[in-house]
Amino acid sequence: DISSHNNFDKPMILRITSFKEACTVTISQPSGGGMPSQTFTLAPQSSKSVDITAWIDAVECRPANTVHNKGLRISSTAQISVYYEVNHTSRNPELFVLKGRNALGNDFFISSQNSAFNNASYNPAPFSSFSIVATENNTTVTITPSKDVIGHVAGVPYTITLNRGQTYAAVAASPMPNQHLEGSRVTSNKPVAITLADDLISPIGFGCADMVGDQTIPVSITGTEYMATKGYLNGSLEKLYVTATANNTAIFKDGVQVTTLNAGQTYEVTVTNPSI
């Protein structure tokens, strides 16, 4: 029943946790998107859930290929962790880990899975996407999509200008796995943050569909060694996707070289061991 899936983006919750110090937390929209500012205090080592579902139209970065005033700024007087959680009460949930200053940069490669399609039988259809938010006024952003996105063709750079708190979503033009946006590049003259989303992904041969997403990191803090643990998906569905940020990047799996990638290329790894 398609109608039962139309609320897959609700509720929308911010999960905020303090550490050793008490703090004052403020949630605002610098560009005045329509959600009222909220300020509250947290005791040391405590958590608070903030439901922002009532302002969903003021927060979700849609439609695509349009500049919006929908960026959120979460500030605190002491260290906190923040998760953006979607639909924890039903199917298709996801947690987006907000990475604070580690998310800000001027040069990004977009990563994505490219083996499962997006279930386009839903309206609106959920496609692979990435959303950009600016932290300063007059931010010039250049986007080079690896595949066609709504309003722009693959391989042709285009430029947008964002002010502080403004957002822009690049959305794939097709739900097919080989048209996902891995390898797209985003550069900017001032720091931006980028959130990745890939909704209702359906591996071929399996009936279920799920959302995956995260706030990504810039090239400046990407690394050369990563560890992952296997989850509980069936058979060969556990995957890692490795995207190179420089040419002639040798990729090793458990110490054995498996491929060499150039900048923007992606390699799929099937996770069969408990860890990799």
Side-chain angles (χ1 to χ4, degrees):
D1 180 7
I2 293 177
S3 63
S4 68
H5 301 287
N6 287 343
N7 289 315
F8 267 177
D9 54 356
K10 303 182 183 73
M12 295 163 42
I13 309 288
L14 295 173
R15 310 286 190 187
I16 303 174
T17 300
S18 62
F19 293 94
K20 292 183 179 180
E21 300 177 54
C23 58
T24 300
V25 179
T26 300
I27 304 170
S28 63
Q29 285 190 305
S31 57
M35 190 182 86
S37 296
Q38 302 180 49
T39 299
F40 53 89
T41 58
L42 281 177
Q45 298 177 333
S46 62
S47 296
K48 181 178 178 64
S49 295
V50 181
D51 191 328
I52 59 173
T53 312
W55 301 283
I56 187 170
D57 291 332
V59 172
E60 288 188 341
C61 189
R62 51 180 165 82
N65 195 34
T66 304
V67 174
H68 300 281
N69 297 323
K70 296 184 176 183
L72 293 180
R73 181 173 186 258
I74 303 169
S75 62
S76 172
T77 57
Q79 288 189 339
I80 56 173
S81 69
V82 184
Y83 290 84
Y84 174 86
E85 185 169 7
V86 179
N87 192 24
H88 69 94
T89 60
S90 183
R91 293 169 290 178
N92 206 48
E94 182 57 297
L95 282 168
F96 295 77
V97 183
L98 304 188
K99 299 177 175 64
R101 291 175 181 171
N102 286 335
L104 300 181
N106 304 88
D107 189 4
F108 297 80
F109 278 93
I110 302 303
S111 57
S112 173
Q113 65 84 25
N114 54 21
S115 62
F117 65 93
N118 302 99
N119 195 323
S121 61
Y122 300 96
N123 185 20
F127 291 172
S128 173
S129 69
F130 55 91
S131 296
I132 304 163
V133 61
T135 62
E136 300 180 28
N137 290 336
N138 299 313
T139 298
T140 300
V141 182
T142 300
I143 302 166
T144 307
S146 60
K147 310 295 192 313
D148 289 353
V149 295
I150 293 173
H152 301 275
V153 297
V156 179
Y158 66 98
T159 299
I160 60 171
T161 299
L162 301 175
N163 287 325
R164 184 171 181 261
Q166 289 189 319
T167 58
Y168 173 90
V171 178
S174 168
M176 299 308 296
N178 64 358
Q179 295 302 304
H180 279 51
L181 301 180
E182 77 283 349
S184 299
R185 191 169 189 177
V186 179
T187 60
S188 61
N189 66 330
K190 299 177 182 180
V192 299
I194 300 180
T195 299
L196 313 176
D198 199 5
D199 201 2
L200 287 174
I201 61 171
S202 301
I204 295 173
F206 293 85
C208 60
D210 253 324
M211 183 177 189
V212 294
D214 199 7
Q215 189 177 60
T216 194
I217 56 174
V219 171
S220 60
I221 63 169
T222 54
T224 58
E225 185 172 6
Y226 293 84
M227 299 173 67
T229 56
K230 193 178 187 307
Y232 293 95
L233 289 177
N234 295 328
S236 61
L237 290 183
E238 295 277 354
K239 306 286 187 181
L240 290 176
Y241 294 87
V242 182
T243 299
T245 63
N247 291 337
N248 299 314
T249 298
I251 307 299
F252 299 82
K253 174 185 175 183
D254 294 329
V256 178
Q257 185 172 349
V258 291
T259 191
T260 299
L261 301 177
N262 286 327
Q265 292 183 325
T266 294
Y267 179 73
E268 179 188 275
V269 178
T270 299
V271 181
T272 54
N273 295 330
S275 63
I276 186 171

